[in-house]
Amino acid sequence: MKENEKKYPIDCFIDHFKFPYEERLKKMMLEPLRKNELHKFFMADSNSDYYVLRYQKEDTSQINNVLDIMVLLFDTDEEYEVHDLIINSIKEMLFESDINRALLTIVGVVYSYYYIKQEYINLKSETVSIDNELRKKRISHKNVDFSLIKNQFLQKLLSNRDSLIKDKRWGGVEWNSKNGNWEVIIDSIEKISMKYKDDENYTFVKFSEIV
């Protein structure tokens, strides 16, 4: 990527749900897919070449939106092996130096996956036109077995508990969480595992395995 392509002018964006943002995200995704660096795309912040601005001037997220990336993965016409892409990305993230951020991102990927599995046919897109029957067909063939990374994730999570409690970035800020990003992750896992507890295809960590 050329130096002058890293950042885009604010006036290129209508708002965070409109065409310019989604189109840029879609184009940007091609490079990490080609380089087997989807994990870097998931974790990209404003200092990364893979970062795509979501909001206008009031943007404070400064991280790529995992749900948006996951929707594009499912919507793409390319014959990507979604299962392998996601599992391999999580494996890579488990060895990232900023492990707290990686753990948060992994939970975001898992949440997004199960949300899309349930809500996929209702999601709207500015850049992709897909009828509901095609979406149902696609989602039925894109299953991810998180049991392949479950134990590694759980080990990393528990061994970094103290660090996560002290981590006040993003959702871990004091006004939102008493125990930093540990609370953010635990609450998310509780919500996911409770919501999908009767789903025989749920293969990620259960809340009961942590507490």
Side-chain angles (χ1 to χ4, degrees), residues 41-168:
F41 194 40
F42 279 136
M43 292 184 66
D45 61 15
S46 56
N47 295 314
S48 169
D49 287 351
Y50 288 155
Y51 175 66
V52 182
L53 182 67
R54 179 174 172 83
Y55 296 96
Q56 295 185 23
K57 294 181 180 179
E58 69 273 16
D59 178 41
T60 57
S61 62
Q62 297 188 345
I63 53 176
N64 276 349
N65 187 286
V66 173
L67 177 59
D68 292 342
I69 296 172
M70 292 287 285
V71 170
L72 289 182
L73 275 178
F74 280 90
D75 267 350
T76 181
D77 291 324
E78 303 293 335
E79 289 302 317
Y80 295 118
E81 292 293 336
V82 172
H83 173 276
D84 293 345
L85 283 172
I86 294 174
I87 292 299
N88 290 337
S89 294
I90 292 176
K91 287 179 178 179
E92 292 287 346
M93 284 190 276
L94 288 171
F95 289 96
E96 285 287 329
S97 56
D98 189 348
I99 188 61
N100 290 357
R101 182 183 190 138
L103 292 169
L104 280 164
T105 304
I106 291 168
V107 171
V109 168
V110 174
Y111 167 80
S112 297
Y113 170 78
Y114 284 109
Y115 175 81
I116 292 170
K117 288 283 284 187
Q118 187 174 77
E119 303 291 341
Y120 187 54
I121 63 171
N122 298 317
L123 294 176
K124 306 276 185 211
S125 170
E126 293 287 335
T127 62
V128 183
S129 178
I130 300 178
D131 64 67
N132 285 352
E133 289 305 313
L134 179 54
R135 280 189 153 174
K136 288 178 183 178
K137 182 179 178 181
R138 285 185 172 181
I139 202 71
S140 67
H141 289 90
K142 295 186 178 182
N143 294 310
V144 178
D145 183 5
F146 292 108
S147 67
L148 297 172
I149 52 83
K150 174 181 168 181
N151 290 337
Q152 298 98 306
F153 172 86
L154 192 56
Q155 185 274 324
K156 288 280 188 179
L157 176 65
L158 296 176
S159 64
N160 287 279
R161 182 178 185 275
D162 291 343
S163 175
L164 285 163
I165 289 175
K166 297 175 183 176
D167 193 343
K168 305 298 182 181

Side-chain angles (χ1 to χ4, degrees), residues 184-208:
V184 174
I185 290 177
I186 298 308
D187 285 353
S188 297
I189 291 176
E190 180 180 20
K191 290 175 183 176
I192 298 169
S193 60
M194 289 299 292
K195 185 172 183 177
Y196 301 102
K197 64 181 179 180
D198 297 324
D199 186 342
E200 61 181 13
N201 294 314
Y202 182 81
T203 55
F204 192 58
V205 175
K206 295 180 180 177
F207 182 66
S208 60

